[in-house]
Amino acid sequence: MKNNKCPICGEHHEYLIKAFHSEVDQPILDLLSDEVPDWRAELGACTRCIDQAQLELQLSILKAKEEPAEINGYKILPIPTRLLADTKQKGKGVTICIIDSGFYLHPDLIFPKNRILKILDITQPDRDESYFTRPHNNSWHGTMTSVICTGNGHLSGGMYRGLASEANLVLIKVSDENGAISGNNIAKALQWAVENSTQYNIKIINLSVTDDFDIPHKKSQVDQAVEHAVKKGISVVAASGNNPDAPVLPPANSPYAITVGGLNDRNTLDPLLNTLYHSTFGETVDRFQKPDIIAPAIWLAAPILPNTKEQREAEALFDLYYSDDKFIKAKLANLLHKTSLSKELLFQKTAIIKEAISHKINDAKYISPHYQHADGTSFAAPIICSVIAQMLEVNPLLDPYTVREILFITARHIPGEKAERQGWGVIRPGHAVQMAAGNKLKSNAEVTPIVDYRNMVANFFINCSYAQEVVLTGDFINWRKEGVPMQRSKNGNWKTNIKFNNSGIYRYKFLIDKKEWTSDPRNLYRENDGFNGFNSKLIIL
């Protein structure tokens, strides 16, 4: 029954949103207050008015940014624009290690300054760096991931740049001469990265590659290497995969990896159009729920591999597309051999020629002579890496556990979409960097809760600086809302403990100010709660 009147629009709705975050949502609160001067957050607002305020905020930010390229009236938005990211931070001083099939020394990474500190073929460690100055079939995927993550847009005048456009890189090729990628080579690459992390200041590892075996993480050499890297202070990010019917494979199944699913923002700034990409999701064989977070996984500007037939075709097609109608047939005769266009076009009218060129550009996903749009969680994962690089630039002391906590707390849930497919929700770089810079979170523990097995006591922690009251509740007390009170300490940290008499699996959540339910962002174990959210799981062995 629609019996709640929104004080902003005056319409009646089933419920109003009142649980605003005093810091993260402040820009939205300001816009709503401007709309109705006497409005206060505790009065609430309908989701429609909140979405409209969010859209207005996005559009106001966009005005200060460059317009994206337009192809046939179709625009591909740069990553910083579509994520409303603060571009002052560019990952300077942070090194990201990307482990992938292969690489090319792309201009967006080496001009005007070469930011690749080391490039290595783990299958042939003695291979000379000159190998990577030539394109190979295995070069495409890794070149795309590295440029989406840290490219400076050199070939696009700075337009198609990643969020970490000043970060340094270590690139490790893991495909063999037959193009195969084995778990053994992924594990070897991870081990090399950890052993050389101090020399190259490696703080982040991206894994947009997978092993072939759906096995428990304790039996996977890849997952064991991921766990080792995280415990050595390196954040590890893994792509979840692109098949919702497939199992979550190593390294995406690792509880220590930040596993990234896909967002389809439809290449717009309208949050109402956000939906999910067809990512792999679900419980792993160890009953971990994946993915953990999502990022754009489609309509992403990615490099066309230089000095390939595809790059030569793209260059020719755009030359033809923008040529004067009077000269197009002459140009077509000279450039036809660089394209896959039909020779029959030489005898067609100009309008038909232009239409064929336009179709070819769209079919090949070209957006300029040097870029095409790509999709896949392989390219969502490096976006998360670039945000972590921004966070570490403003706060180099962040450990991997606090990094993941900040990412999860500041993420935005997509209403109406299943929780198990989006984890904590859509990455919000601006909020994550702001929280990292403000030292809002102080690490109580690496992974919570902490269980004292000698005394059978579980210690719980959460950071919530804006809360007036936080209680712990769960199935061990029949989910009573009064819960177990938590005590506040410095920096907005809350803590409490519970004594357990029996081993088993216990589900729990935190209840903030009697209205906001949240699972534990530092707990690696969670499951669907049946209400489009998650319960955290305490496992007493």
Side-chain angles (χ1 to χ4, degrees):
M1 184 176 180
K2 298 182 178 181
N3 56 3
N4 293 299
K5 184 178 181 181
C6 174
I8 304 296
C9 65
E11 299 292 329
H12 288 271
H13 299 269
E14 291 183 9
Y15 62 90
L16 301 178
I17 302 298
K18 298 181 180 180
F20 294 100
H21 191 297
S22 60
E23 295 174 355
V24 171
D25 293 325
Q26 191 58 50
I28 301 298
L29 301 180
D30 292 342
L31 283 174
L32 294 174
S33 297
D34 290 341
E35 186 73 19
V36 178
D38 294 332
W39 181 83
R40 303 183 308 280
E42 56 266 28
L43 298 176
C46 69
T47 56
R48 189 177 303 167
C49 287
I50 294 170
D51 288 340
Q52 182 61 36
Q54 176 76 13
L55 181 59
E56 290 177 13
L57 177 65
Q58 291 175 327
L59 293 175
S60 68
I61 293 174
L62 180 61
K63 290 178 182 178
K65 301 180 181 291
E66 71 278 3
E67 282 293 311
E70 182 172 330
I71 305 301
N72 300 343
Y74 194 81
K75 296 181 178 181
I76 297 294
L77 296 170
I79 292 170
T81 299
R82 66 206 299 171
L83 287 176
L84 305 176
D86 189 337
T87 56
K88 291 193 296 292
Q89 289 80 35
K90 297 179 173 64
K92 190 172 184 179
V94 180
T95 301
I96 303 172
C97 174
I98 297 184
I99 297 171
D100 216 302
S101 57
F103 302 93
Y104 176 86
L105 298 178
H106 194 275
D108 285 14
L109 305 176
I110 64 174
F111 293 115
K113 175 187 176 183
N114 187 352
R115 292 177 286 117
I116 301 174
L117 304 182
K118 178 71 175 180
I119 188 165
L120 171 70
D121 185 345
I122 204 70
T123 69
Q124 297 187 43
D126 296 330
R127 174 167 269 164
D128 189 82
E129 186 176 303
S130 62
Y131 171 86
F132 299 98
T133 63
R134 303 183 300 275
H136 303 275
N137 289 335
N138 59 34
S139 305
W140 280 89
H141 196 266
T143 303
M144 285 182 166
T145 58
S146 56
V147 170
I148 286 174
C149 183
T150 66
N152 62 9
H154 179 77
L155 294 181
S156 64
M159 181 179 298
Y160 291 126
R161 63 183 182 273
L163 292 174
S165 58
E166 292 185 7
N168 294 319
L169 282 166
V170 168
L171 306 177
I172 306 180
K173 171 183 174 292
V174 291
S175 66
D176 62 22
E177 292 306 290
N178 297 318
I181 299 174
S182 68
N184 183 54
N185 283 335
I186 298 173
K188 284 168 61 178
L190 282 161
Q191 181 180 353
W192 188 98
V194 172
E195 290 174 351
N196 294 273
S197 59
T198 301
Q199 178 180 351
Y200 295 107
N201 193 34
I202 297 172
K203 295 296 183 181
I204 308 161
I205 295 175
N206 184 81
L207 290 164
S208 294
V209 291
T210 62
D211 198 357
D212 296 325
F213 305 106
D214 185 18
I215 56 178
H217 76 283
K218 290 294 185 183
K219 296 182 179 180
S220 165
Q221 60 178 333
V222 173
D223 288 340
Q224 290 301 293
V226 167
E227 180 177 344
H228 180 62
V230 172
K231 289 182 175 179
K232 289 294 185 179
I234 302 172
S235 294
V236 179
V237 179
S240 69
N242 306 322
N243 184 354
D245 298 320
V248 183
L249 298 173
N253 71 332
S254 167
Y256 287 88
I258 299 171
T259 303
V260 184
L263 164 73
N264 181 0
D265 62 6
R266 302 179 190 270
N267 190 44
T268 75
L269 292 177
D270 187 349
L272 297 178
L273 297 180
N274 283 184
T275 187
L276 297 176
Y277 183 74
H278 50 82
S279 315
T280 306
F281 72 96
E283 284 192 343
T284 70
V285 292
D286 295 306
R287 307 301 296 274
F288 297 115
Q289 187 74 42
K290 294 289 184 173
D292 299 304
I293 197 167
I294 61 175
I298 192 169
W299 311 114
L300 297 172
I304 303 171
L305 196 61
N307 300 317
T308 59
K309 62 182 180 60
E310 290 83 2
Q311 193 271 318
R312 289 188 287 270
E313 178 182 57
E315 195 169 38
L317 288 172
F318 281 98
D319 190 357
L320 289 166
Y321 185 79
Y322 290 114
S323 66
D324 191 292
D325 288 357
K326 293 184 295 184
F327 308 114
I328 192 167
K329 284 193 176 183
K331 273 195 172 184
L332 180 61
N334 290 326
L335 297 174
L336 187 66
H337 70 284
K338 293 184 177 182
T339 76
S340 54
L341 294 170
S342 170
K343 293 180 180 179
E344 298 299 320
L345 283 177
L346 293 170
F347 309 102
Q348 300 296 328
K349 294 180 180 180
T350 299
I352 295 176
I353 295 173
K354 284 272 188 162
E355 184 179 5
I357 294 167
S358 176
H359 282 311
K360 179 57 66 176
I361 288 173
N362 288 335
D363 290 345
K365 299 183 178 181
Y366 298 141
I367 56 177
S368 82
H370 302 289
Y371 299 87
Q372 62 187 126
H373 59 88
D375 69 281
T377 58
S378 286
F379 312 122
I383 294 174
I384 299 294
C385 289
S386 65
V387 176
I388 296 174
Q390 289 184 308
M391 294 165 63
L392 291 173
E393 179 183 350
V394 299
N395 189 349
L397 299 179
L398 292 176
D399 62 81
Y401 305 97
T402 305
V403 165
R404 69 185 289 137
E405 181 176 12
I406 292 174
L407 289 176
F408 296 169
I409 284 175
T410 56
R412 172 179 61 84
H413 189 79
I414 301 179
E417 298 286 3
K418 292 182 178 180
E420 65 256 33
R421 293 190 61 190
Q422 59 178 308
W424 289 84
V426 182
I427 182 73
R428 291 203 284 185
H431 293 141
V433 173
Q434 179 185 13
M435 188 169 283
N439 296 316
K440 299 293 184 182
L441 302 178
K442 183 176 180 181
S443 177
N444 295 299
E446 294 178 345
V447 179
T448 59
I450 298 175
V451 180
D452 176 359
Y453 281 102
R454 175 175 295 179
N455 298 305
M456 288 295 286
V457 171
N459 297 278
F460 298 83
F461 306 87
I462 189 172
N463 180 281
C464 192
S465 58
Y466 63 90
Q468 300 300 311
E469 175 190 75
V470 181
V471 299
L472 167 73
T473 187
D475 57 7
F476 46 87
I477 55 171
N478 296 318
W479 295 100
R480 293 198 305 270
K481 292 186 70 172
E482 60 269 24
V484 178
M486 301 187 73
Q487 290 74 47
R488 181 171 182 148
S489 58
K490 293 186 292 184
N491 300 316
N493 291 314
W494 298 77
K495 62 183 179 180
T496 193
N497 60 71
I498 294 287
K499 187 172 181 62
F500 289 87
N501 297 320
N502 301 306
S503 61
I505 300 176
Y506 301 88
R507 283 81 179 171
Y508 71 94
K509 281 187 177 181
F510 301 112
L511 179 58
I512 301 169
D513 293 335
K514 293 185 171 62
K515 57 186 177 181
E516 181 182 345
W517 296 82
T518 184
S519 48
D520 189 343
R522 281 182 177 257
N523 190 337
L524 303 176
Y525 299 88
R526 57 193 170 93
E527 66 179 15
N528 195 306
D529 64 2
F531 298 95
N532 204 29
F534 293 107
N535 293 325
S536 296
K537 294 195 292 186
L538 167 64
I539 301 175
I540 304 291
L541 301 176

